Amino acid sequence: MDIYIHSAGIISAAGDNSNEAFLASAPAYDADRLLCDGIDYTAYIPAMQLRRMSKAVRMGVVAAKICMQRAGIEKPDAISIGTGLGCLNDTEHFLSKMVTQDEQMLTPTSFIQSTHNTVGGQIALLSGCHGHNLTFVQRGHSFENAVINTALYLDENPFHNMLTGGIDELTETSLAVLKRAGVYSAEPRGPESILHHTRPGSIAGEGSGFLLMAKSAKRGALCIKGLSLFVTKDTGVALRKVDDFLQQQQLTSGDIDLVMLGTNGDGKYEAFYHQLAQSIFQNNSRAAFKHLSGEYPTAGAFALALLSHVAGMGDIPSFLLAGPPPRRLKHIVLVNNYVNHYSCWHLTVA
Amino acid sequence: MHQSAYIVNTGLISAIGNDTATCLDALVTGRSGVGKAQYLQTHWRDELPVAEVKLSNAELAKLAGADKDWPRTAFLSLIAAREAWQPYADKGEGLRVGFFSANTVGGMDLTEDFYASFLQNANAGNIASVANHECGAVTELVSNHLGIYDFVTTISTACSSSANSIMMAAQMIGRGMLDIAVAGGADSLSKFTLNGFNTLMILDKLPCQPFDQNRRGLNLGEGAAYVLLMSEKAMQQCGATSICRVSGYANTNDAYHQTASSPEGTGNKMAMLKALKVAGLQPADIDYINLHGTGTANNDSSEGLAVSVVFGDKVPMASSTKGFTGHTLGASGAVEAVFSALSIRDGIVFPNIRWQTQMEDVPWKPVTELKQGCDIRHVLSNSFGFGGNCSSLIFSKS
């Protein structure tokens, strides 16, 4: 695959990566949700425009801006987006008015912004990007599919770059519904509980991760070497697929410097992550990320952006690690899941 | 593209028929599917005509052979995808198969009912009815039913969604990442989309008249369409023959407005030119354009001007088929890809029905009568959507 990540932009419950405060301190909370409410968007978007943007659009547009700013560009050549649930706030707003007003006296704004490709369209509009611009909505593989699209695009346009991102917002409704469905924990939890699978449901989250991707190598940049996706309800199958991926990438435990796992505190996935930590990856340094982001369909975009950011820092904060720090950072494996959708990444630091 | 992706079969359900052959018959005999809603329960049923698939959910479930609790979009998707895939389903031993779908509405029809109860009480409403709310969930119901697992994706770029899923499928076959792809999209009518488009004041209260000077707007439709794409190797193994191949594709962005097209159709023009470049063709090579042609004042003007810029005074035969099917949103790119393939296969060009008056700002006229016995070698199909999304596909005789 060999796609280089030239920069990353992050909007998360743990802050945005535009300043030194990001990753400066360990997360501390006792909550049932991790929201991106503390972000100051006004530094990036005029207040007038900001008022018309839903949270999903703000998170997406600003993470894209941070990403481009860090790469020193104002406009990408192309855009590829993943979102599991799309612009939920606007969808609910229009739906609720439609139901309560019996289909009458409705206004278009929230309908217009409820479209799944709103974020991609807004980034194109604000940056004047006329290039290829797709949005993927494949549950826990939405962002990963956007990356596959990036690989296809860069193959055909090897001198271009592509702004690739994942966004999902949490609403009161999605929180309530996904609690009832057992995806999210009914009880408040602390960061420690995300690292240990003891209770049903994970902590709800939201956020946005954007990456500027290109074929051209950049020293110190994260490079995507391989990506494998699978859907299964069976832990045994999932473990075998991770094994298959490592073999296909010709990676043995000794080659791997860091393993980042999508541990999310949900007892349903304890067997999977526990097995990985105790068998294939037992001798590897391990890290986690969902105690910063919470769980959502495109949390993989946050993980990749976080790894890109950390690779640039050259140092991994201890609160991301479960165990000893890596001796060096060359080969990284990222294994993540959102419900039954799993992804395995092989990354290197160039 | 490294190798060609060939269309070997199609599947289609829309307001003008429940399979490809019936839809084709309607196009040839001039039978439109636009009329009063019979199944969509809406306040606007007497005022806004729609192009409904003429079956209830219970009838669709039966025809699909699927669980009765699926969203309507999933029924439509399965019926059309299976028509395309079924003849070859047991011939692909050892080949890698992908399912590329697209939709904009997901399981919204069921969510609408759930939400009414949920608004009264957060513990009310049947949670199972929103389990398939996500666009990707609808795709997975169908891919699981068909037993396709090697690659499954859903693209949602509004009205160009399924043109983009065909583009991506052709790219992955082109690169040898897959051997076979079922690619297209589906969308059912819902109160959500009908009311949404109604607030934009772009729905026609009468059957629509694309590319007519006095056009009043679009009619929403519903349906699903898929093309079965194969590599040469897969065609040999499956004993399939090519109808045509996907020779060109492009996706561009108008970057002008969230819902409206730029007056001069910048994104539309770029998409057509790029697709021609990918196909290695000149504008003069195109024999037929299946227009996006929604019937709105804005779309037809900007698309019409973009076509003029690309083709100059030699605009090929061109028509919008939305007068028959309505605007099937996320399905429309695939519906029209199937029509494009049929145009090449049968040497026919479909009429732009209800056209009466020449547009003042567009110098060319769409084809208004059925043309038969033509040698159609290359067809260009346009699909444009919200978010400035512009897609053009080119299909070529192989």
Side-chain angles (χ1 to χ4, degrees):
Chain A
M1 205 173 209
D2 279 32
I3 294 172
Y4 293 86
I5 298 172
H6 285 220
S7 67
I10 298 169
I11 298 291
S12 75
D16 70 77
N17 68 327
S18 67
N19 54 57
E20 298 295 315
F22 187 61
L23 301 182
S25 55
Y29 51 79
D30 184 42
D32 64 346
R33 69 198 83 179
L34 299 181
L35 301 176
C36 299
D37 287 351
I39 309 288
D40 177 20
Y41 296 108
T42 54
Y44 296 92
I45 303 169
M48 275 287 281
Q49 272 180 356
L50 204 53
R51 272 205 298 278
R52 290 197 297 267
M53 289 180 175
S54 70
K55 189 162 61 171
V57 176
R58 291 173 183 198
M59 293 192 303
V61 166
V62 172
K65 285 201 173 217
I66 293 172
C67 181
M68 289 192 282
Q69 205 168 66
R70 293 179 73 92
I73 63 164
E74 286 180 359
K75 175 172 87 168
D77 293 319
I79 297 166
S80 187
I81 307 271
T83 176
L85 287 156
C87 297
L88 273 182
N89 260 312
D90 284 308
T91 304
E92 281 175 37
H93 185 257
F94 191 76
L95 190 55
S96 143
K97 292 264 186 226
M98 185 184 91
V99 168
T100 54
Q101 293 170 203
D102 197 22
E103 301 184 59
Q104 285 160 80
M105 307 289 284
L106 300 170
T107 52
T109 312
S110 56
F111 174 71
I112 290 170
Q113 296 211 40
S114 74
T115 316
H116 284 84
N117 63 330
T118 302
V119 174
Q122 284 293 317
I123 297 170
L125 199 55
L126 294 170
S127 67
C129 172
H130 289 286
H132 177 108
N133 188 327
L134 296 191
T135 299
F136 292 82
V137 288
Q138 194 56 41
R139 316 190 94 174
H141 283 161
S142 304
F143 169 69
E144 290 74 10
N145 285 359
V147 172
I148 291 170
N149 178 53
T150 301
L152 293 170
Y153 179 84
L154 293 177
D155 235 19
E156 292 184 8
N157 302 276
F159 302 109
H160 283 197
N161 61 44
M162 192 171 217
L163 186 61
T164 308
I167 313 110
D168 271 296
E169 66 179 344
L170 189 75
T171 66
E172 288 293 341
T173 303
S174 68
L175 180 66
V177 168
L178 291 169
K179 276 185 179 180
R180 280 172 65 181
V183 173
Y184 292 146
S185 166
E187 308 294 326
R189 315 181 66 157
E192 271 305 301
S193 90
I194 304 305
L195 305 174
H196 306 288
H197 297 78
T198 49
R199 287 190 263 168
S202 62
I203 190 160
E206 63 178 4
S208 167
F210 272 76
L211 304 122
L212 191 76
M213 298 190 178
K215 283 291 213 190
S216 56
K218 187 186 159 197
R219 207 176 158 72
L222 205 60
C223 174
I224 305 171
K225 304 295 274 190
L227 170 61
S228 166
L229 309 180
F230 54 91
V231 185
T232 184
K233 288 180 179 168
D234 185 320
T235 303
V237 171
L239 288 166
R240 206 174 61 237
K241 293 271 191 184
V242 175
D243 238 352
D244 291 348
F245 176 69
L246 297 178
Q247 279 188 29
Q248 179 216 323
Q249 294 292 312
Q250 298 175 320
L251 278 175
T252 61
S253 172
D255 303 323
I256 302 168
D257 301 302
L258 179 72
V259 178
M260 185 172 259
L261 301 176
T263 349
N264 70 359
D266 187 337
K268 291 191 282 296
Y269 311 104
E270 162 155 20
F272 174 69
Y273 286 110
H274 187 75
Q275 276 282 333
L276 286 183
Q278 294 306 310
S279 57
I280 313 178
F281 300 131
Q282 66 169 328
N283 296 319
N284 296 114
S285 293
R286 295 188 300 275
F289 63 94
K290 283 184 184 162
H291 56 317
L292 271 63
S293 65
E295 180 66 298
Y296 56 96
T298 50
F302 171 76
L304 198 61
L306 180 67
L307 282 170
S308 165
H309 187 87
V310 163
M313 287 164 56
D315 180 39
I316 306 175
S318 61
F319 55 84
L320 293 180
L321 293 165
R327 282 194 303 274
R328 56 165 205 171
L329 213 49
K330 179 69 188 168
H331 288 280
I332 303 170
V333 171
L334 165 63
V335 180
N336 185 32
N337 82 301
Y338 177 78
V339 193
N340 300 320
H341 291 68
Y342 290 79
S343 54
C344 303
W345 303 74
H346 174 201
L347 309 158
T348 58
V349 180
Chain B
M1 244 189 290
H2 300 215
Q3 59 177 16
S4 286
Y6 298 90
I7 296 181
V8 304
N9 200 18
T10 63
L12 177 57
I13 182 167
S14 74
I16 55 173
N18 301 338
D19 55 29
T20 303
T22 313
C23 291
L24 176 60
D25 179 68
L27 291 175
V28 170
T29 56
R31 179 167 51 80
S32 165
V34 176
K36 184 175 161 177
Q38 288 184 34
Y39 304 103
L40 182 70
Q41 303 296 318
T42 170
H43 169 82
W44 302 105
R45 137 195 254 183
D46 292 322
E47 285 178 54
L48 298 170
V50 290
E52 255 181 341
V53 168
K54 310 296 185 259
L55 293 169
S56 67
N57 279 13
E59 290 165 328
L60 284 171
K62 209 172 154 206
L63 181 62
D67 189 305
K68 65 176 174 40
D69 296 327
W70 281 19
R72 187 170 172 92
T73 302
F75 293 137
L76 299 175
S77 173
L78 176 56
I79 291 164
R82 189 165 50 207
E83 185 195 348
W85 173 230
Q86 193 68 46
Y88 301 98
D90 57 356
K91 294 179 180 163
E93 184 69 35
L95 298 174
R96 293 154 303 164
V97 188
F99 187 56
F100 297 74
S101 200
N103 72 73
T104 67
V105 77
M108 184 61 85
D109 54 334
L110 302 185
T111 304
E112 285 169 359
D113 296 337
F114 170 85
Y115 208 70
S117 316
F118 182 85
L119 277 177
Q120 307 290 323
N121 176 351
N123 289 313
N126 177 10
I127 194 85
S129 65
V130 283
N132 297 310
H133 169 79
E134 297 157 72
C135 299
V138 167
T139 299
E140 274 182 9
L141 286 173
V142 177
S143 60
N144 288 341
H145 202 277
L146 296 175
I148 298 177
Y149 304 108
D150 294 326
F151 185 71
V152 176
T153 195
T154 312
I155 293 178
S156 197
T157 52
C159 309
S160 59
S161 301
S162 55
N164 291 327
S165 65
I166 293 172
M167 170 174 78
M168 188 182 190
Q171 286 177 306
M172 286 183 77
I173 288 179
R175 264 154 195 76
M177 296 162 78
L178 293 169
D179 307 298
I180 299 177
V182 180
D187 254 333
S188 74
L189 284 163
S190 73
K191 281 194 287 192
F192 187 90
T193 31
L194 184 79
N195 281 282
F197 276 86
N198 196 29
T199 62
L200 294 170
M201 295 184 286
I202 53 173
L203 292 179
D204 197 337
K205 291 194 164 86
L206 297 168
C208 67
Q209 288 183 275
F211 282 91
D212 188 287
Q213 172 66 21
N214 302 315
R215 65 197 179 280
R216 298 159 304 270
L218 62 86
N219 303 135
L220 283 177
E222 63 181 352
Y226 293 87
V227 292
L228 181 63
L229 293 170
M230 288 191 185
S231 66
E232 222 166 301
K233 174 182 120 180
M235 282 204 298
Q236 275 167 12
Q237 177 174 328
C238 297
T241 51
S242 162
I243 300 169
C244 61
R245 65 191 171 88
V246 181
S247 58
Y249 48 72
N251 175 263
T252 64
N253 200 283
D254 203 31
Y256 173 76
H257 185 268
Q258 175 62 16
T259 56
S261 296
S262 59
E264 65 279 19
T266 308
N268 307 2
K269 180 187 74 186
M270 290 170 74
M272 287 187 270
L273 290 172
K274 261 193 176 171
L276 284 164
K277 195 175 165 200
V278 170
L281 295 173
Q282 297 300 315
D285 296 324
I286 299 296
D287 301 302
Y288 167 49
I289 307 173
N290 187 295
L291 299 157
H292 187 54
T294 58
T296 64
N298 175 236
N299 177 81
D300 296 0
S301 274
S302 77
E303 184 180 12
L305 290 174
V307 165
S308 286
V309 171
V310 173
F311 293 92
D313 56 3
K314 294 194 179 70
V315 174
M317 289 187 280
S319 64
S320 163
T321 42
K322 287 191 172 69
F324 289 95
T325 59
H327 188 356
T328 56
L329 304 180
S332 69
V335 166
E336 289 156 29
V338 171
F339 292 166
S340 301
L342 296 174
S343 166
I344 291 174
R345 187 192 73 183
D346 295 351
I348 52 179
V349 168
F350 312 111
N352 190 109
I353 53 173
R354 299 188 206 102
W355 186 92
Q356 290 172 323
T357 312
Q358 179 65 42
M359 282 171 68
E360 283 166 8
D361 52 347
V362 168
W364 50 271
K365 168 182 181 296
V367 170
T368 55
E369 302 288 336
L370 179 73
K371 302 270 184 193
Q372 289 175 296
C374 313
D375 180 22
I376 306 294
R377 301 178 55 79
H378 304 285
V379 177
L380 171 73
S381 178
N382 287 339
S383 301
F384 310 131
F386 283 7
N389 213 277
C390 300
S391 297
S392 291
L393 296 174
I394 298 177
F395 304 95
S396 296
K397 204 172 233 179
S398 42

